[in-house]
Amino acid sequence: MDLVNSTCWLPAYAATIHKSQGSEYPAVVIPVLTQHYAMLQRNLLYTGVTRGRRLVVLVGQKKAIAIAVRNISGRRRWSKLGEWLAFPCPSLTAGRLVGLSHGGS
């Protein structure tokens, strides 16, 4: 079969799991290889798998899938949210924000 000149080809697109967050696709193919060890994280695998509406195909090694499923560490998010919630802003007085313009007089 002449694959180069075949009429069976359909356009396909690739996106990272990060860029696909919040989106859904009819079919998703995810390469899962031990060579991509740093990316073998449960949260990334979950996000990738849940992007597929009708079909999800994992291509790679069973060992890599097992590593990803067991790896719950992920990256720690460096946020000050906890600090901000623990120590309220001193400019909050009497239930209103001080120093904010309301656009009117």
Side-chain angles (χ1 to χ4, degrees), residues 27-102:
V28 174
V29 178
I30 305 170
V32 188
L33 303 166
T34 56
Q35 288 89 336
H36 306 136
Y37 187 80
M39 301 299 290
L40 296 178
Q41 299 171 16
R42 180 188 291 186
N43 62 329
L44 289 177
L45 184 61
Y46 172 83
T47 300
V49 167
T50 57
R51 299 309 94 193
R53 188 177 309 131
R54 300 195 66 209
L55 175 68
V56 175
V57 179
L58 301 177
V59 178
Q61 304 156 315
K62 288 181 182 180
K63 179 179 180 179
I65 295 169
I67 291 169
V69 168
R70 285 193 306 266
N71 184 2
I72 59 171
S73 64
R75 287 189 173 170
R76 185 169 191 267
R77 296 179 186 257
W78 297 101
S79 166
K80 289 190 157 232
L81 181 60
E83 183 180 328
W84 291 341
L85 293 175
F87 302 102
C89 181
S91 65
L92 290 175
T93 58
R96 63 185 185 96
L97 293 174
V98 176
L100 291 180
S101 172
H102 298 316

